[in-house]
């Protein structure tokens, strides 16, 4: 048996496109959404099932998280830490959850500014994870989370691409030179 080198294998593969021809641009690509990919564009590929699954999953995760927080609170009660600390923990989680809900809900309708404090709020969002999960659940009832924002951006980019594309009349290098009279 003869060994086939990498060069021989490359020679047998399909030839690449000619160097002079580039693939024609097809337009802007839609940005994928977590759990949905690009099915949000045409609402195909199991979009409705994905939305229902994401809604049920986020609600279930919120319920499990609330139950775990209840167990933690009962642990504080068993530890007899006092009413001040017990109430403080409940208030902390309530405030963190409400801020996480508001920030998550806001992120579905607009992109954060590059210099925003989103990175500083990651810890607070982690503490208030129940609020984020509830926002995700509520948004899944109407659309994929972030779909409206991405659809607006995609349609704007597609319209801009079509406008730029229609302004062209062809390849300027392929035009015939004008005759002199």
């Amino acid at each position: 048996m003869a060994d086939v080198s990498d060069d021989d294998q490359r020679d047998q593969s399909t030839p690449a496109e000619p160097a002079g021809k580039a693939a024609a641009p097809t337009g802007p690509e839609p940005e994928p959404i977590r759990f949905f990919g690009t099915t949000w564009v045409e609402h195909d590929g199991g979009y409705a099932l994905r939305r229902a699954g994401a809604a049920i999953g986020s609600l279930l995760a919120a319920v499990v998280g609330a139950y775990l927080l209840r167990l933690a609170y009962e642990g504080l009660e068993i530890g007899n830490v006092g009413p001040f600390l017990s109430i403080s923990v409940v208030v902390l989680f309530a405030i963190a959850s409400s801020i996480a809900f508001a920030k998550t809900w806001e992120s579905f309708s607009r992109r954060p500014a590059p210099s925003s404090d989103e990175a500083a709020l990651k810890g607070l969002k982690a503490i208030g994870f129940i609020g984020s999960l509830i926002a995700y659940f509520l948004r899944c009832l109407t659309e994929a989370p972030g779909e409206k924002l991405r659809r607006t951006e995609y349609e704007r980019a597609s319209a801009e691409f079509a406008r730029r594309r229609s302004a062209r009349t062809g390849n300027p290098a392929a035009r015939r030179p004008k005759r002199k009279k």
Side-chain angles (χ1 to χ4, degrees):
M1 286 193 200
D3 289 333
V4 179
S5 69
D6 289 335
D7 292 332
D8 292 338
Q9 287 178 350
R10 268 188 249 132
D11 292 339
Q12 294 173 0
S13 65
T14 58
E17 287 188 34
K21 290 190 175 185
T26 59
E29 293 292 323
E31 184 180 350
I33 298 176
R34 183 184 303 157
F35 305 124
F36 296 92
T38 57
T39 60
W40 60 268
V41 177
E42 300 292 329
H43 291 186
D44 59 352
Y47 172 79
L49 288 174
R50 289 176 191 225
R51 236 179 67 200
I56 291 168
S58 61
L59 183 62
L60 185 63
V63 169
V64 168
Y67 182 72
L68 291 175
L69 287 177
R70 179 176 175 244
L71 290 177
Y73 179 77
E74 287 178 1
L76 289 174
E77 291 296 316
I78 291 171
N80 200 16
V81 294
F84 177 74
L85 185 58
S86 296
I87 293 172
S88 297
V89 167
V90 170
V91 169
L92 168 76
F93 276 103
I95 291 172
S97 289
S98 64
I99 292 172
F101 177 88
K103 290 296 181 180
T104 303
W105 192 263
E106 183 180 292
S107 73
F108 296 146
S109 59
R110 69 177 179 89
R111 297 212 184 255
S115 63
S116 72
D117 56 346
E118 287 296 315
L121 291 176
K122 282 187 178 182
L124 188 64
K125 282 179 150 183
I127 293 171
F129 66 97
I130 293 176
S132 292
L133 290 169
I134 291 172
Y136 205 82
F137 165 73
L138 291 174
R139 183 58 79 159
C140 282
L141 295 178
T142 57
E143 66 178 8
E147 178 181 345
K148 184 176 181 182
L149 171 67
R150 285 174 177 80
R151 185 172 301 283
T152 303
E153 291 173 350
Y154 177 66
E155 287 173 353
R156 186 180 308 127
S158 295
E160 179 68 21
F161 178 80
R163 186 188 62 75
R164 284 193 322 256
R165 196 74 184 144
S166 66
R168 297 180 185 164
T169 58
N171 184 356
R175 291 186 189 152
R176 289 185 180 178
K178 291 184 179 180
R179 288 187 182 182
K180 293 183 181 179
K181 291 187 180 184

